[in-house]
Amino acid sequence: MLLDVQNIHKTYQSADGPSAVLRGVGLSLAAGETLALTGESGSGKSTLLHLIGGLDTPDQGQILVDGQDIGAMDDNGRAHLRRGTLGVVFQQFNLIPSLRVRDNIAFQARLAGQHDAQWAGTLADRMGLADHLNKYPEQLSGGQQQRVAIARTLAPRPRLVLADEPTGNLDETTAATVMDLMLELVRETNAGLLMVTHSENLAGRLSRRLHLRAGLVA
Ligand SMILES: Nc1ncnc2c1ncn2[C@@H]1O[C@H](COP(=O)(O)OP(=O)(O)OP(=O)(O)O)[C@@H](O)[C@H]1O
């Protein structure tokens, strides 16, 4: 199994006392599967995605990515996993302003020691960025910037892509185009995709769907 999440608990401490956000969440995802994670605002979707991405640690439970327990890894191990196996796309594009589009696309693949100029070129073409490779992010529209961010995420050929409302900042038509491209490329590379979304329409286009309610998968 590409991703196996077992019995995850996470409680945040706040001024009002402890708040149990996740209370025994489990899910699994096979290579080539696309899974939508829905739930009301505050239900813990981003929290779960951060835990799976190794950006935070659960209080209890296990997360296995490609059979590796991320809780048993040290910071180096988690950083390595984030660079090589995992790809993350957020609502904010987080492009590097001082780098041209071509170098933004190659950035993570280079960090991971997996830069492949031909694949980077294919991604740029497929994302409709071929005429923009020498531009800087600020010279692009929001939809173009998000396409750069997605190409950058896919450039190291991640096995598992985690996406948090990746088209949430785009207008409906642009969002649909960007999502079509991302789903096509994810399917072609046989990656797994776990995507947080508020959009019913989008959730319906993925192969499976899970709903978080009261700290559990409903
Ligand atoms: N670092 C933190 N410290 C304390 N509480 C937090 C922290 N991060 C999140 N929370 C709380 O945990 C709950 C779940 O937050 P989370 O962002 O995971 O929800 P979400 O389902 O992604 O929401 P949304 O759909 O609005 O993005 C919220 O009540 C939030 O206030």
Side-chain angles (χ1 to χ4, degrees):
M1 195 57 72
L2 178 58
L3 173 66
D4 202 357
V5 172
Q6 298 164 358
N7 193 30
I8 292 296
H9 290 251
K10 182 73 182 176
T11 295
Y12 288 117
Q13 304 298 334
S14 71
D16 303 330
S19 154
V21 177
L22 302 176
R23 302 188 304 150
V25 169
L27 64 88
S28 60
L29 183 73
E33 256 192 320
T34 57
L35 175 63
L37 186 61
T38 59
E40 281 179 13
S41 181
S43 58
K45 305 181 295 296
S46 301
T47 298
L48 182 58
L49 214 64
H50 281 129
L51 295 174
I52 295 170
L55 300 168
D56 197 358
T57 48
D59 301 328
Q60 218 192 101
Q62 262 199 333
I63 298 169
L64 305 173
V65 177
D66 231 359
Q68 301 176 76
D69 180 353
I70 64 172
M73 292 177 187
D74 59 12
D75 286 349
N76 275 341
R78 272 192 289 272
H80 186 73
L81 182 80
R82 273 204 299 278
R83 275 191 224 120
T85 310
L86 283 181
V88 182
V89 190
F90 293 109
Q91 193 170 343
Q92 290 78 22
F93 317 131
N94 295 322
L95 299 177
I96 299 167
S98 60
L99 292 184
R100 295 178 192 275
V101 165
R102 67 167 75 252
D103 294 317
N104 263 289
I105 291 176
F107 188 75
Q108 274 161 7
R110 285 192 173 124
L111 269 184
Q114 293 190 32
H115 177 56
D116 170 346
Q118 198 177 353
W119 174 234
T122 301
L123 285 170
D125 283 349
R126 293 283 296 278
M127 286 288 175
L129 296 166
D131 293 337
H132 304 289
L133 291 174
N134 289 320
K135 293 185 179 167
Y136 290 94
E138 65 177 14
Q139 299 172 301
L140 302 180
S141 71
Q144 290 165 340
Q145 290 188 40
Q146 189 58 307
R147 282 183 272 148
V148 176
I150 291 169
R152 177 184 58 183
T153 298
L154 297 177
R157 298 182 184 276
R159 311 265 338 269
L160 173 62
V161 177
L162 304 176
D164 200 345
E165 289 283 351
T167 53
N169 270 336
L170 306 176
D171 67 76
E172 216 171 298
T173 314
T174 310
T177 311
V178 171
M179 191 50 62
D180 284 344
L181 287 166
M182 179 164 138
L183 288 178
E184 253 176 54
L185 286 163
V186 162
R187 289 197 170 117
E188 282 172 30
T189 54
N190 201 37
L193 172 69
L194 176 59
M195 183 162 73
V196 167
T197 182
H198 284 280
S199 158
E200 289 293 317
N201 185 15
L202 201 52
R205 297 186 50 199
L206 304 196
S207 45
R208 271 198 303 140
R209 170 175 184 165
L210 291 178
H211 192 76
L212 273 185
R213 185 180 294 132
L216 292 166
V217 171

